[in-house]
Amino acid sequence: MNRPEDEMIVPEGWGFVETIDRRDFLRLTSTGLLVVFAVKPPEGAMRPVWNFAEQQRTPPDFNAFLHIGANGRVTLLVGKIEMGQGIITGLPQIVAEELNVPLEMVDCVMGDTDLCPFDSGTFGSLSVWRLGPILHAAAAEARAVLVQLASEKLGVPVADLSVKDGVVVSKTDANKKATYGELAGGKKIERRFEGKAALDKVSEYTIIGKSYPRRDAVEKVTGKAMYAGDIAPPNAMHARIVRPPAHGASITAIDTSAAEKLPGVRIVKDGELVAVLHAHRDEADKALKLVKTTVTPSPNTLDHENIFAHLEEVAVEKRPAGAAGDVAAGEKAATQVVAAKYLKGYVAHSPMETHTAIAAVGADGRVTVWASTQTPYPLQTQVARALKFAPEKVRVITPFVGGGFGGKSANAQGVEAARLAVAAGVPVRVAWSRDEEFFYDTFDPAAVISIRAGLDASKRIVLWDNEITGAGGRGAGMFYDVPNHRTVTKGSWSGNQGAMHPFAVGPWRAPGANANVWARESHIDALAAKVGMDPVEFRLLNLQNPRMRRVLDACAKKFGWTPKPGPSKRGYGVAIGEDAGTYVANMAEVKVDAATGAIKVIRVVCAQDMGVVVNPEGAMQQMEGCIMMGLGYTLAEEARFKNGEVLDKNFGSYTLPKFSWMPKIETMLIDNPDLPSQGGGEPAIVSMGAVIANAVFDATGVRLTQLPMTPTRVKAALGKK
Amino acid sequence: MKPIAFTLNGVARSVTVEEDRDLLWVLRDDLGFTGTKFGCGASFCGACTVLVDGKEVRSCVTPIRSVAGKKVVTVEGLAKGDKLTPVQEAFIEHVGFQCGYCTSGMVIGATALLAANPKPTREQIIRGLERHLCRCGAHQRVVAAVESAAQKMAGGKS
Ligand code: FES
Ligand code: FES
């Protein structure tokens, strides 16, 4: 990824098959200052239990390395990866700030299991939110060490020293100074982070809070940025794997004789894994088409229509996900009750780069896998298990990732590439076709959400009874003032409890929250309409949380919201939500074409309180991305399937948001310097379903309770009016 | 197999391959030009877009024989050394990308669009890029980048 310049702490050949082990790495960094840090796993960091590799590493409790070399360059080594969210710029900003060095002096090496310390994965908006505080503290620690060294070298007390641009200077005699490079060079200093050094004050930040240009920009506009599929070790071959046509179908016989006749084709088998190999991808594709299979069809009878009844029937296990008061008392107190059931289909991740990996066996017998992954360390473990190798014999390197959104937390392609590379004796590249991507995706699960809510005579919500099947509890937390509420979940967005789903499901950008916030905020709107109140005023009446009120208020000002009970025919919608510690409010304006049922989103305003903002431009890019991506699951995206077969196989039938869908997007960040940085990759997407659904209600008086709101569904709903 | 000759990024090339091979994979696998990306393989996403005689084509569905005698330009061929084109500069300035995977195709698409229509309206930019997908949702900034590149290029000429 971003290659360290000048003094290479990473050996020549980094990025290719030669591998180094951890001891070599520590030797390479044995001069200069190395800070090894993380006192304990950050709360909520979700360390996966399956990672036995982690236990075998010493020391086991760090999240990152920070190295300062004799040339004064700082290298940050983190197990996180860059998939477009911009942390390749944001994380070094934090380090540069606390170390008082220019940002250009900080290199960043990411997602390489040989060089970077363990990290459970890049997801959940955790990078700045959870790793950020550790980076702050570690860099401050490093600065303290360097200042101490300077004090000894210059004979000046620590209190009389200051640091600017990587130079420690005496406050009283400007001639007494030493650069970080001079202080760190030629020494072997290893410091465990103790978390005692004083942090920079937020008000004194000079680097955090600035919108630095993205460090990956030039590479990405010139085609030089390397993604997994672009890595080309000598003699590498493409693999196309023989696949069953449906989930639950099994292949009983494979005939590769016709494929084998094509020049350059090799057939490779490893157990049930059978693949056609060719040096050229298109010729491998051609060969795969010639492979004949005998298949026992899938016994699965589910499809995208009967799935909802199935989910309600099979999801038995109920888990409490928040409660207060007593819902029976709420029922008694309520003078009006509104109940509804909300349905949402499966949504694909659809990163533009499909799951891709290339694996090669080195002369030393170690396997290197370059993978398009959000979770290099868990992948290392999975590969080691599949190959029955010790984990330290597997290295995973993560080049730039072409979009993840949660879907690249699952890495079957990496394991496939490794198994085939070992079986074939040559480097093997597995890049899923779009069809495979739709088939093996870990979809955002379909969900059925029932809400029964009651109001008293003063229009206050006194009852909230919520049952969530499929989506899990994220996003369903109750921040309105409801004395009696209860939320239970049946099944979650991860795993496939009790064979609920016909295929794999998994984390999808703000997992579960898109469904839950949509249902809740739709329902809040329905309550407002029931009592004839403006939806913003109704929310404020039932909401004391000052932080959320401030965000909603800011959004309303920017949007120019004037109170009117819905449906006002203006096509205005509002929705609020909380995710990854960040509070968000959205407002939208839509037009609905009654003849076609098409929804045109004209404008979306989004206000977000995410605490201290490391890189405002970067944060706004994430918000805009969330809004565009959110239009997809709101208006069009729903994977169709039948008898285990995923019917959507490419973008011809499964539509992603396009340029012509683009509303006018206006984002704003609420200043909140008292709160440390919260998550930013996901929050702005969670309220997209509701803000559009509520705007559609405001425009038409019709409430849609199923996502996506396709033209067909809109027309049908309008017809019933 | 007969040799197929064409110009790639200004350099004469000849490849001796099956004539129905996809331009995308000849570029990537045979010639090592990996800036051009695979996204869908079926002309839906635009990640594989290259210029053929100045027009944008989807290299994933373009047989190599059809570029014989023509000028092919990939994203690697736009900049002259370190000197980026106005379109590339505008993509950097307006941050018309996130993960960057659609970016090669977007930059090429925008280049073709501005060559054909140096003063596009916002509507024309949107329509011109409609068949380029971006999952990260960088759309608003891509449009801003193309608008600003158009302005800069117009300024440069007058
Ligand atoms: S890969 Fe060619 S259009 Fe998608
Ligand atoms: S920047 Fe990621 S797909 Fe466009």
Side-chain angles (χ1 to χ4, degrees):
Chain A
M1 186 155 265
N2 180 25
R3 281 163 192 106
E5 289 156 23
D6 303 339
E7 189 198 36
M8 295 282 287
I9 62 158
V10 179
E12 205 79 42
W14 178 80
F16 286 91
V17 185
E18 290 85 355
T19 54
I20 59 167
D21 69 19
R22 180 159 300 281
R23 278 177 320 251
D24 288 336
F25 172 65
L26 291 173
R27 217 175 299 130
L28 283 159
T29 55
S30 66
T31 63
L33 171 64
L34 179 70
V35 182
V36 168
F37 50 97
V39 188
K40 56 180 164 54
E43 190 199 331
M46 295 187 278
R47 290 209 156 188
V49 283
W50 68 80
N51 197 298
F52 59 85
E54 182 196 351
Q55 270 99 56
Q56 299 177 0
R57 290 171 181 280
T58 43
D61 58 347
F62 48 72
N63 296 102
F65 291 127
L66 197 57
H67 179 260
I68 295 146
N71 56 1
R73 285 201 79 80
V74 178
T75 307
L76 167 67
L77 300 107
V78 286
K80 300 281 177 210
I81 60 94
E82 175 61 49
M83 55 182 165
Q85 79 284 37
I87 56 172
I88 194 172
T89 313
L91 297 181
Q93 269 183 271
I94 295 174
V95 169
E97 180 71 64
E98 294 291 352
L99 267 174
N100 298 24
V101 296
L103 182 60
E104 309 80 69
M105 290 298 284
V106 184
D107 298 315
C108 186
V109 177
M110 304 174 84
D112 182 326
T113 60
D114 266 17
L115 302 180
C116 309
F118 172 81
D119 189 283
S120 58
T122 306
F123 45 67
S125 296
L126 293 167
S127 299
V128 171
W129 182 26
R130 300 299 198 196
L131 181 59
I134 299 167
L135 292 187
H136 273 286
E141 184 86 8
R143 184 185 54 188
V145 171
L146 289 157
V147 170
Q148 179 63 43
L149 288 170
S151 164
E152 287 157 21
K153 180 175 167 150
L154 304 171
V156 176
V158 166
D160 292 342
L161 291 170
S162 70
V163 187
K164 193 162 186 281
D165 293 344
V167 186
V168 189
V169 195
S170 160
K171 286 180 195 163
T172 50
D173 179 357
N175 290 325
K176 288 192 173 168
K177 58 183 174 187
T179 65
Y180 279 176
E182 287 162 7
L183 295 166
K187 298 195 187 68
K188 178 177 165 58
I189 319 160
E190 191 172 328
R191 273 296 267 260
R192 291 312 273 309
F193 156 58
E194 286 164 7
K196 290 196 199 107
L199 301 183
D200 266 7
K201 286 205 200 72
V202 173
S203 58
E204 287 164 12
Y205 282 171
T206 57
I207 296 173
I208 289 177
K210 272 212 198 124
S211 296
Y212 282 89
R214 294 181 55 125
R215 308 184 128 203
D216 45 2
V218 174
E219 284 169 274
K220 284 182 175 175
V221 303
T222 53
K224 291 200 184 94
M226 296 285 254
Y227 299 80
D230 303 333
I231 307 286
N235 306 319
M237 295 183 89
H238 285 273
R240 292 302 318 273
I241 296 165
V242 180
R243 307 285 195 187
H247 293 279
S250 44
I251 298 176
T252 52
I254 300 178
D255 174 7
T256 56
S257 54
E260 275 166 78
K261 292 199 184 93
L262 291 187
V265 165
R266 274 183 70 186
I267 308 292
V268 173
K269 294 183 190 157
D270 178 39
E272 83 302 340
L273 189 63
V274 178
V276 177
L277 267 53
H278 197 287
H280 306 134
R281 166 63 182 242
D282 47 347
E283 302 195 85
D285 291 346
K286 208 182 288 173
L288 181 70
K289 287 203 188 101
L290 296 176
V291 174
K292 290 189 197 72
T293 55
T294 315
V295 174
T296 312
S298 173
N300 198 310
T301 55
L302 295 173
D303 61 43
H304 50 276
E305 277 160 7
N306 68 21
I307 186 71
F308 301 106
H310 162 82
L311 287 180
E312 289 197 288
E313 196 184 303
V314 300
V316 282
E317 153 238 33
K318 270 194 195 183
R319 286 207 186 157
D326 171 15
V327 289
E331 289 279 357
K332 274 204 201 100
T335 53
Q336 310 190 66
V337 168
V338 177
K341 195 184 267 189
Y342 298 88
L343 309 178
K344 180 199 142 293
Y346 294 91
V347 180
H349 294 89
S350 297
M352 294 319 298
E353 174 202 37
T354 59
H355 279 70
T356 301
I358 178 152
V361 185
D364 56 2
R366 294 184 79 210
V367 172
T368 301
V369 183
W370 293 263
S372 164
T373 175
Q374 292 177 243
T375 49
Y377 292 83
L379 173 59
Q380 177 193 34
T381 307
Q382 288 156 11
V383 168
R385 283 197 178 160
L387 298 178
K388 301 196 172 64
F389 276 24
E392 52 280 7
K393 288 193 73 184
V394 178
R395 177 185 190 182
V396 175
I397 298 175
T398 318
F400 284 119
V401 176
F405 317 110
K408 287 176 181 165
S409 305
N411 302 301
Q413 92 285 9
V415 176
E416 290 167 350
R419 286 174 66 189
L420 291 169
V422 169
V426 292
V428 170
R429 181 185 292 117
V430 173
W432 286 355
S433 66
R434 189 49 66 181
D435 181 347
E436 288 171 297
E437 188 73 23
F438 273 109
F439 190 78
Y440 288 107
D441 194 10
T442 48
F443 290 90
D444 185 38
V448 180
I449 302 173
S450 301
I451 304 177
R452 187 176 159 80
L455 296 161
D456 69 9
S458 61
K459 302 177 182 178
R460 288 178 199 272
I461 309 167
V462 289
L463 163 71
W464 189 270
D465 201 358
N466 188 3
E467 188 175 289
I468 302 162
T469 303
R474 183 159 161 179
M478 180 49 73
F479 50 70
Y480 291 98
D481 305 310
V482 181
N484 308 297
H485 68 86
R486 170 176 70 185
T487 298
V488 297
T489 61
K490 291 162 56 181
S492 177
W493 49 262
S494 72
N496 192 354
Q497 299 100 325
M500 286 169 68
H501 307 288
F503 33 58
V505 296
W508 194 101
R509 202 171 194 171
N514 292 300
N516 284 324
V517 174
W518 162 66
R520 183 195 59 228
E521 290 297 300
S522 293
H523 209 71
I524 292 281
D525 233 56
L527 293 175
K530 180 93 179 167
V531 293
M533 262 186 95
D534 170 75
V536 174
E537 288 183 341
F538 179 77
R539 281 175 173 80
L540 290 172
L541 176 71
N542 284 283
L543 180 69
Q544 256 157 54
N545 184 318
R547 201 176 145 213
M548 188 61 95
R549 286 180 70 103
R550 192 153 82 110
V551 177
L552 177 55
D553 206 50
C555 187
K557 283 213 179 75
K558 178 136 188 141
F559 185 84
W561 184 280
T562 49
K564 221 173 195 188
S568 76
K569 306 284 176 221
R570 296 178 298 185
Y572 288 1
V574 56
I576 56 181
E578 185 269 322
D579 191 71
T582 289
Y583 282 25
V584 61
N586 279 343
M587 288 186 174
E589 180 184 349
V590 306
K591 273 208 169 71
V592 180
D593 183 333
T596 61
I599 297 167
K600 171 77 188 152
V601 182
I602 296 169
R603 196 178 160 215
V604 176
V605 173
C606 181
Q608 181 166 297
D609 174 354
M610 58 192 300
V612 171
V613 185
V614 174
N615 185 325
E617 270 291 314
M620 289 194 281
Q621 287 159 30
Q622 284 300 300
M623 291 164 77
E624 291 161 20
C626 279
I627 289 164
M628 281 306 291
M629 191 173 184
L631 291 178
Y633 76 75
T634 300
L635 300 177
E637 290 183 47
E638 178 175 41
R640 284 161 303 171
F641 57 95
K642 201 180 170 114
N643 303 124
E645 185 186 356
V646 179
L647 303 174
D648 288 302
K649 297 180 196 297
N650 212 321
F651 299 127
S653 66
Y654 188 98
T655 313
L656 301 188
K658 295 185 175 144
F659 278 94
S660 62
W661 298 20
M662 194 176 56
K664 181 166 185 231
I665 299 174
E666 295 158 81
T667 57
M668 68 184 295
L669 296 165
I670 310 283
D671 188 40
N672 191 355
D674 300 334
L675 185 72
S677 304
Q678 308 290 304
E682 302 162 303
I685 198 172
V686 299
S687 32
M688 280 306 291
V691 77
I692 306 300
N694 293 344
V696 169
F697 170 78
D698 190 58
T700 63
V702 168
R703 178 159 301 284
L704 276 91
T705 53
Q706 184 164 5
L707 287 185
M709 297 182 283
T710 57
T712 315
R713 286 190 185 131
V714 173
K715 256 178 95 170
L718 288 174
K720 274 192 220 136
K721 193 169 117 177
Chain B
M1 283 189 282
K2 278 188 294 190
I4 297 168
F6 59 101
T7 317
L8 177 58
N9 299 336
V11 177
R13 292 269 179 172
S14 171
V15 291
T16 305
V17 299
E18 294 291 346
E19 59 164 28
D20 64 345
R21 294 230 5 239
D22 300 327
L23 174 59
L24 170 64
W25 296 109
V26 175
L27 287 172
R28 288 184 58 87
D29 290 343
D30 299 55
L31 301 173
F33 284 74
T34 55
T36 307
K37 302 300 183 208
F38 163 77
C40 70
S43 187
F44 292 118
C45 77
C48 67
T49 307
V50 298
L51 298 176
V52 175
D53 284 350
K55 298 223 168 56
E56 65 168 304
V57 306
R58 301 292 185 255
S59 66
C60 68
V61 291
T62 302
I64 185 75
R65 64 168 179 277
S66 72
V67 302
K70 299 197 171 156
K71 291 197 185 72
V72 178
V73 176
T74 68
V75 67
E76 292 98 332
L78 295 175
K80 300 278 165 278
D82 283 347
K83 179 89 190 92
L84 304 184
T85 66
V87 171
Q88 288 172 313
E89 278 172 357
F91 266 73
I92 294 177
E93 191 187 329
H94 293 270
V95 201
F97 64 89
Q98 288 186 19
C99 79
Y101 199 78
C102 69
T103 311
S104 304
M106 289 281 181
V107 168
I108 290 277
T111 303
L113 189 146
L114 292 179
N117 178 4
K119 284 189 188 161
T121 62
R122 195 177 166 83
E123 253 327 292
Q124 287 169 330
I125 295 171
I126 289 170
R127 231 180 307 132
L129 294 176
E130 185 71 349
R131 288 175 58 244
H132 289 264
L133 299 179
C134 173
R135 185 50 150 175
C136 297
H139 301 79
Q140 174 155 297
R141 287 170 193 262
V142 169
V143 173
V146 180
E147 283 177 331
S148 111
Q151 273 161 18
K152 254 193 225 151
M153 287 159 79
K157 266 180 216 152
S158 61

